[in-house]
Amino acid sequence: MKKDLVSIADLNGEEIRELFKISAEIKGKQLDLAQGKTLVLVFEKPSLRTRVTFSVAFFQLGGNVIYLAPADIGLGKRESVPDVARNLSRWVDAISARTFAHKTIQELAENASIPVINALSDAEHPCQALADFLTILDHLGSSSEREAFDWGKIKLAYFGDGNNVCHSLMLTAARLGARMVIAGPQGYGPKQEFIEMAQEESKKTGASITITRDPKEAAADADVIYTDVWASMGQEQEAEKRRSLFAPFQVNPELLSYAKPNVLVEHCLPAHRGEEITSDVLDGPNSIVLDEAENRLHIQKAILYRLLPLTGG
Ligand code: CP
Ligand code: NVA
């Protein structure tokens, strides 16, 4: 594995499968791998799940955690990003960073001698996508086929904004060989760069990543339906305008009726009930959103378990 997890592109399919395996092996176990070590959380945006799960994961590995809130260090303002990375490398053993610009995490990774993990940027949310695919595996992979799970039989239909979460899901689907269809309004699709990366990888793995404007076509026969907020953190001023444009892509009981009867419904959370997803679906029998939230803990513990020893951290 590389020193850092900045993008899903830092992992290959084998490494993703290995993380799934490790997460199951160390789930719920108190270990001492990180004893005497410190993880620092450098966050430019708010968080519930990511902050708590990274902290609990590191506690379960035996380590300590420091949280630096958006106003604490003035990343790139009070001090340059490379200088912050070089200083932190002298005191702590790993960095988990949540930023606006993706470049900020890239710069942290390039200038830190310790592992840097992307805890969400404007371009990607790799830990989320890994937790989401792990959750699909938990629900659809029987214990005998878990390790050799055939992702080619899974159709993931994503509705709404072609955002950071969508980008990381696309790259993960491409690496695992799954089918993913993205349905959203014109002008709000995933970035071309991510479409190209995912399609290039798909040629090797047999995955299929396609875009449509037709929500019914996307939902048809889907094994998993996924959605995320229509306006991400930092886009709050666009929320009003987006509401009407995105309305046809709402995940509601009608949309579910086009999918497989036992379709799994995923959402990274936080959800805006009544916007991208209705409450009856979010709280309904198909929803596995809390399993995803729980799996953030297990997959990030596996990521830290795998990356920490790489730098003697
Ligand atoms: N899904 C997720 O990353 O949640 P938070 O923003 O609460 O961390
Ligand atoms: N796309 C959302 C994900 C939040 C976990 C955002 O960036 O705000």
Side-chain angles (χ1 to χ4, degrees), residues 3 36-40 66 79 81-95 108 111-116 311-313:
K3 169 179 88 67
K37 317 255 178 252
T38 304
L39 167 71
V40 67
I66 297 173
E79 196 162 6
V81 174
D83 283 347
V84 169
R86 288 191 278 257
N87 277 263
L88 287 173
S89 300
R90 294 294 180 108
W91 310 313
V92 303
D93 304 280
I95 300 171
L108 282 172
N111 292 281
S113 57
I114 53 175
V116 173
T311 52

Side-chain angles (χ1 to χ4, degrees), residues 1 16 76 90 121 125 128 138 153-154 168 288 297 311:
M1 293 244 294
I16 294 174
R90 294 294 180 108
S121 68
H125 198 359
Q128 181 68 54
D138 286 349
K153 64 185 183 190
I154 300 299
S168 291
I288 55 167
L297 166 62
T311 52

